[in-house]
Amino acid sequence: MFALTARPLQSVDLSPLIPDQLAGKSIAKIKAIELHCGNRSIAVEQLFKVSGNDSENISFLRSSNQLNFIGSEMSYGHIEIRGAVGDFLGKRMKGGRIHVHGNAGNWVGNGMAEGKIEITGDAGDFIGAARPGDQHGMSNGIICVSGNAGDRTGDRMRRGIIIIHGNAGDYCGSRLLAGTIIVLGIAGKLTGYGMKRGTIILGRRPKSIAVTFNTCGQLKMEFLRLLFRQLTHMGRQFKAFNELGPEVERLAGDFACGGKGEILVLQ
Amino acid sequence: MLIRLIGGKVYDPANEVDGEVRDIFIDNGKIVATPPHDRRIDKSYDIRDRVVMAGGIDIHTHIGGGKVNIARMMFPEDHRNDPVSRTTRTRAGCGHVLPSTPIAGYRYAQMGYTACFEPAMLPINARQAHMEMADTPIVDKGAYALLGNDDFLLRMFAANKDQQIINDYVAWIIHATQSIAIKVVNPGGISAFKFNQRKLDLDEPHRHYGTTPRQILRQLAQAVYELGVPHPLHVHGCNLGIPGNVETTLDTIEAMEDLPIHLTHIQFHSYDNEGDRRFSSGAPRVAEAVNRNSNVSVDVGQVMYGQTVTASGDTMSQYRNHLLADPNKWMCMDIECDAGCGVVPFHYRERNFVNALQWAIGLEIFLLIGDPWRVFLTTDHPNGGPFTTYPHLIRLLMDRSFRSHMLSQINKSAAEASHLTSINREYSLYEIAIMTRAAPARSLGLKDRGHLGPGASADITVYKDQVNKEKMFAKPEYVFKDGELVVQNGKIVKITQGATHCVKPDYDKTIERSLKRYFDRYHTVALDNFKLRAEEIKGNGSGVLAIHPCRTAKHA
């Protein structure tokens, strides 16, 4: 357990504090781990009060939005965070579960390959997206945001599911390569801009859609029943899915990029 | 201040000292002979049982200039995955295969290297390259100006201009770019690529200018020789990376007759096309030719496994390689019609037949060339691998059982196809000192570097003598730069600013008249702005320009 004792002035890279790296380490050793803070290095004990002995279940208390890269590249275990978190939560994670009781910054689940991230508050821009230089965004796993999401949700995402219970910002699912994005609130401008394949499921018709999307009319899509039933098994917060689908308005696009993707607006 | 290093085992090939125990005295940044007994020693270091060498010199490492920056921009993941924190002395930075400029300086110093030479500085990029090198602390640096694909020179070749005029132009470029030597990359080939030629053999004429690589090489080598520039023409030849290019390399050596020439990253030019996969080692033939021709020196450009980025001016070969890009992104571009730039990321894998054989070919060249004075240790950083792999490479050369062990890990067919198993040679510390210190200094004409005799600048590296040579060379105990202790046990203890080495050959200044006309008509900058002045290198007083003498000019 890591309880933040001093609010860091600059962003801190917490990527060494994952179950994979803490396993078998004594408290003294963990306290001495060096973290990048701004352009300097500081020891864990300068920021956190460290206690407990279960390296598989890590919790961060009184977390701050300056704490970046939490759960980066973790492959198993559970990280629970009380308070806000910074950017790059669960970057390239390969398994395990992260639960945030608060808001998250930008780039949640950047390049994640497996695992599950739950955020009870809002999340920033670029959820599950590809960072400049990367070939694609998240390649599998589930990200679930109970609040609202920022812009560019799922930009260049490759596989996996992103669920936003609230509203999504502009360019939701832009340049989507494949995968599923579900937004139960309102999505912002130019949803699905430049998407190649993949599915964006919306609770309501978005503010605007690019002219390169074609409406295919009202359809009954049976796969939604299967998808939603599967989701309801995953936890209480997914109960709402019981009453949704399978009738949708289907929009195919983006025809500027092949047009194999679809936006499904739930009726 | 008089410093005494007591009782180290000194390896100083330039002065034929092979492991003798002796004291070294440093006075005001220079190594001096034993001073009189009554002089007070200000500081002494007890380095008994330690190995003492001059500071390392890397003759070919891409640490500045346009292509490195393009590679940095294209490869942000290399930077964000390797952040380096600021300390009280050192600056923050990042990057593994393409470290940011200060980090490159620190890492070189931490390995005991005290001088690095950027081998492919486009004249138009000279200002940027020198600025980056000025931002690389501790180590000395220098750059080779890139010629052989620039429009002005090719026009002169096409018009059959007199050798004397070409000499003047080459000397003018050396002056204008504050460089120490001349490099040619795929002679004429980068230009030919822009005229839609995808291949240019040694005797293939350029579609537009009608020149052949042979002519360009000969005349440039002649120019460099006649101007008395100490370092021979630094040649990145034709057909880089093509199976069967060993023939071109041998022809190139043949074509030079007795002119001195330095063939760079020769590993990439030593491929034969025998066997089932039409890819085999041409290293024995190249090594034999190098052994026979004393006018030829080489550096290897060893391939080391792992992720790296290849950054080269050779757009022709980089375009050919782009299908192998890993991760899949690449770029090729023209730079001001002077040459080009291609950046392709590579991941060398030991299980891959081609990569594994490339690795073996590099080692074969190291081990089959008899004279360590003519083969230098490089990985063509970052093209074959980052310079931080040098200690591992040194261990491969010095430790046969380690080499056999590594050979057993690589692709089986590649291991069978290579000649490595039959080579028993192990490099000695003396030979390593030659190839990483004495020989590069001699080749570049640095009289006061690369040795430990009186009068030399006190660039000294002190290693703990260990059986594991990788560990030994990765972390020297002390590194002195110009007499100041800069690294102790792998930690930077002082930041200094190294000198920029250059040469200033004599030439006829009337060449500027025709250059002025050319610049006014075609160039993007005015002639006066193109020239890099000595004051710019000196900057705000932190930079030093070290001018080395040319050989007495010899005219044909």
Side-chain angles (χ1 to χ4, degrees):
Chain A
M1 187 186 290
F2 297 90
L4 195 65
T5 52
R7 201 184 140 73
L9 292 173
Q10 283 174 311
S11 64
V12 188
D13 176 353
L14 290 191
S15 47
L17 305 184
I18 55 172
D20 310 58
Q21 292 205 26
L22 297 186
K25 280 206 174 105
S26 67
I27 294 261
K29 269 207 171 147
I30 291 171
K31 279 180 173 172
I33 292 175
E34 295 266 310
L35 303 171
H36 287 287
C37 174
N39 62 0
R40 287 154 206 262
S41 288
I42 55 169
V44 167
E45 61 181 343
Q46 286 174 273
L47 278 181
F48 295 101
K49 209 175 122 202
V50 187
S51 60
N53 54 9
D54 184 2
S55 71
E56 261 192 52
N57 290 294
I58 301 173
S59 50
F60 292 95
L61 303 183
R62 297 193 289 279
S63 177
S64 121
N65 60 3
Q66 296 280 39
L67 303 185
N68 295 345
F69 298 101
I70 296 179
S72 167
E73 309 205 6
M74 70 188 274
S75 64
Y76 68 93
H78 178 211
I79 297 181
E80 189 170 21
I81 303 136
R82 300 207 172 259
V85 295
D87 300 341
F88 298 103
L89 176 76
K91 183 198 102 175
R92 287 180 180 275
M93 70 186 275
K94 290 170 260 178
R97 206 154 60 85
I98 300 179
H99 200 147
V100 184
H101 301 275
N103 297 336
N106 301 328
W107 302 102
V108 171
N110 157 250
M112 75 187 272
E114 198 62 72
K116 193 172 169 194
I117 300 177
E118 282 175 65
I119 297 159
T120 51
D122 299 338
D125 302 336
F126 294 100
I127 300 173
R131 241 173 138 178
D134 288 351
Q135 306 295 296
H136 52 73
M138 66 188 280
S139 57
N140 213 344
I142 295 180
I143 300 175
C144 176
V145 182
S146 301
N148 302 325
D151 299 337
R152 293 263 183 192
T153 300
D155 179 48
R156 282 201 282 163
M157 148 183 190
R158 178 72 186 76
R159 205 181 291 118
I161 304 175
I162 300 176
I163 302 163
I164 316 286
H165 285 268
N167 304 330
D170 299 338
Y171 293 97
C172 174
S174 61
R175 305 189 282 174
L176 193 68
L177 297 172
T180 307
I181 300 174
I182 305 172
V183 181
L184 294 182
I186 305 169
K189 281 182 254 174
L190 293 170
T191 296
Y193 184 80
M195 71 191 283
K196 270 182 128 172
R197 294 193 305 276
T199 306
I200 302 175
I201 302 169
L202 303 176
R204 276 176 259 173
R205 218 183 143 81
K207 283 183 197 159
S208 77
I209 280 189
V211 290
T212 42
F213 280 84
N214 264 357
T215 178
C216 314
Q218 308 277 338
L219 295 165
K220 213 173 186 181
M221 301 204 98
E222 288 301 329
F223 88 93
L224 286 176
R225 264 193 226 277
L226 295 171
L227 174 68
F228 290 160
R229 189 179 305 154
Q230 200 61 35
L231 288 176
T232 50
H233 291 316
M234 283 172 47
R236 260 194 331 231
Q237 67 273 41
F238 297 102
K239 275 277 175 319
F241 285 108
N242 243 340
E243 291 133 38
L244 298 175
E247 266 137 59
V248 292
E249 180 194 356
R250 184 178 189 267
L251 299 150
D254 181 335
F255 279 98
C257 302
K260 286 184 192 161
E262 58 182 2
I263 298 177
L264 308 177
V265 185
L266 295 169
Q267 300 298 304
Chain B
M1 184 163 136
L2 189 64
I3 301 170
R4 181 182 180 186
L5 308 180
I6 306 166
K9 278 189 280 178
V10 178
Y11 290 86
D12 182 13
N15 298 308
E16 296 177 358
V17 181
D18 183 4
E20 271 173 49
V21 175
R22 52 167 76 177
D23 290 0
I24 291 175
F25 295 90
I26 306 169
D27 192 12
N28 276 333
K30 296 272 178 200
I31 295 173
V32 291
T34 313
H37 281 294
D38 52 346
R39 246 198 98 178
R40 198 171 64 87
I41 309 280
D42 296 290
K43 181 123 179 81
S44 39
Y45 295 87
D46 185 354
I47 51 163
R48 267 167 278 195
D49 300 329
R50 306 291 195 271
V51 170
V52 184
M53 292 184 186
I57 298 172
D58 195 343
I59 200 164
H60 190 109
T61 169
H62 298 276
I63 52 164
K67 65 206 165 304
V68 187
N69 272 330
I70 291 163
R72 283 185 183 121
M73 280 196 287
M74 208 175 79
F75 215 47
E77 57 266 44
D78 177 56
H79 282 222
R80 58 198 181 216
N81 291 344
D82 191 8
V84 180
S85 291
R86 182 189 163 163
T87 68
T88 44
R89 285 191 194 85
T90 59
R91 288 158 61 192
C94 51
H96 174 61
V97 298
L98 295 156
S100 48
T101 41
I103 304 301
Y106 303 149
R107 287 193 183 149
Y108 261 117
Q110 282 167 327
M111 267 182 359
Y113 273 72
T114 53
C116 315
F117 290 85
E118 158 60 46
M121 178 178 72
L122 266 178
I124 190 85
N125 279 344
R127 189 165 277 112
Q128 158 75 16
H130 277 293
M131 277 175 166
E132 277 184 52
M133 288 192 279
D135 201 38
T136 306
I138 304 177
V139 290
D140 285 348
K141 48 255 161 182
Y144 314 153
L146 192 76
L147 288 180
N149 285 286
D150 47 325
D151 182 47
F152 187 81
L153 186 68
L154 291 175
R155 278 165 191 258
M156 287 205 291
F157 285 139
N160 275 326
K161 285 274 170 75
D162 194 44
Q163 178 73 36
Q164 191 57 43
I165 298 174
I166 288 163
N167 294 1
D168 289 339
Y169 173 63
V170 169
W172 182 84
I173 284 284
I174 292 179
H175 278 256
T177 60
Q178 306 288 352
S179 43
I180 191 168
I182 292 290
K183 188 196 187 193
V184 56
V185 172
N186 192 354
I190 305 173
S191 173
F193 181 77
K194 297 172 203 166
F195 291 89
N196 280 331
Q197 282 175 283
R198 292 290 173 265
K199 193 173 152 299
L200 196 70
D201 234 328
L202 193 61
D203 289 310
E204 210 170 322
H206 187 298
R207 193 172 282 173
H208 179 73
Y209 299 100
T211 53
T212 61
R214 181 189 293 268
Q215 183 194 356
I216 296 172
L217 281 173
R218 278 223 45 128
Q219 286 200 269
L220 273 179
Q222 185 77 31
V224 169
Y225 178 70
E226 287 182 10
L227 289 167
V229 174
H231 189 55
L233 182 66
H234 200 87
V235 177
H236 157 149
C238 320
N239 293 339
L240 177 136
I242 299 180
N245 63 9
V246 61
E247 300 293 343
T248 317
T249 308
L250 297 176
D251 287 348
T252 308
I253 294 175
E254 204 82 345
M256 299 322 280
E257 287 163 18
D258 282 333
L259 277 171
I261 180 179
H262 177 86
L263 295 171
T264 191
H265 41 69
I266 189 97
Q267 178 272 129
F268 291 108
H269 300 272
S270 305
Y271 304 149
D272 219 333
N273 53 3
E274 286 166 6
D276 299 340
R277 309 200 196 204
R278 319 295 300 156
F279 182 68
S280 61
S281 167
R285 295 173 68 193
V286 168
E288 200 253 324
V290 173
N291 286 336
R292 208 177 45 229
N293 294 286
S294 62
N295 58 324
V296 178
S297 62
V298 301
D299 67 77
V300 173
Q302 174 68 21
V303 157
M304 305 300 269
Y305 302 121
Q307 178 70 55
T308 194
V309 182
T310 64
S312 169
D314 191 349
T315 30
M316 194 182 254
S317 73
Q318 292 293 63
Y319 177 74
R320 212 163 37 226
N321 290 339
H322 81 267
L323 294 171
L324 305 170
D326 180 6
N328 182 13
K329 48 186 171 181
W330 62 280
M331 57 77 47
C332 278
M333 65 191 279
D334 164 61
I335 298 180
E336 308 263 343
C337 293
D338 261 1
C341 168
V343 178
V344 182
F346 261 70
H347 195 134
Y348 294 111
R349 291 183 163 86
E350 52 205 339
R351 296 279 165 207
N352 176 301
F353 172 76
V354 174
N355 297 164
L357 196 55
Q358 284 179 306
W359 176 85
I361 290 170
L363 291 178
E364 285 171 16
I365 291 170
F366 271 119
L367 298 164
L368 291 174
I369 294 180
D371 181 4
W373 285 96
R374 290 194 286 125
V375 52
F376 310 132
L377 186 130
T378 67
T379 59
D380 189 16
H381 162 83
N383 296 341
F387 62 80
T388 42
T389 55
Y390 285 177
H392 180 82
L393 177 54
I394 291 174
R395 188 175 178 200
L396 285 169
L397 297 178
M398 293 190 71
D399 186 342
R400 194 169 72 88
S401 57
F402 178 64
R403 194 161 67 224
S404 317
H405 173 69
M406 294 307 285
L407 189 65
S408 67
Q409 315 258 309
I410 68 169
N411 181 296
K412 285 231 159 51
S413 325
E416 281 161 19
S418 93
H419 311 273
L420 271 184
T421 36
S422 60
I423 304 174
N424 293 330
R425 183 172 174 198
E426 285 181 340
Y427 269 81
S428 65
L429 281 172
Y430 187 71
E431 287 173 315
I432 292 290
I434 295 174
M435 74 191 321
T436 58
R437 274 97 175 150
R442 183 180 287 182
S443 175
L444 289 162
L446 312 176
K447 294 235 160 37
D448 59 344
R449 311 274 161 177
H451 71 101
L452 298 170
S457 293
D459 296 352
I460 303 170
T461 308
V462 179
Y463 300 101
K464 262 191 213 120
D465 200 355
Q466 299 181 51
V467 180
N468 184 337
K469 300 299 177 205
E470 184 173 352
K471 278 200 180 135
M472 171 176 165
F473 280 94
K475 199 172 156 191
E477 195 164 334
Y478 299 108
V479 180
F480 295 89
K481 178 79 189 75
D482 292 315
E484 291 188 86
L485 184 65
V486 287
V487 173
Q488 188 167 6
N489 286 324
K491 280 231 161 64
I492 306 269
V493 293
K494 187 172 171 109
I495 305 292
T496 61
Q497 188 67 22
T500 300
H501 295 286
C502 65
V503 292
K504 300 277 173 211
D506 288 331
Y507 70 106
D508 180 1
K509 303 224 165 24
T510 49
I511 182 85
E512 278 205 10
R513 247 182 274 154
S514 55
L515 272 165
K516 176 92 174 54
R517 273 198 305 277
Y518 178 82
F519 268 69
D520 289 347
R521 172 83 175 79
Y522 296 110
H523 234 296
T524 48
V525 288
L527 182 80
D528 274 350
N529 296 340
F530 180 90
K531 283 194 278 190
L532 188 67
R533 284 169 179 76
E535 294 76 51
E536 295 183 63
I537 301 281
K538 289 170 190 158
N540 53 9
S542 56
V544 180
L545 199 63
I547 302 172
H548 294 272
C550 289
R551 286 190 322 269
T552 328
K554 288 173 193 158
H555 294 286

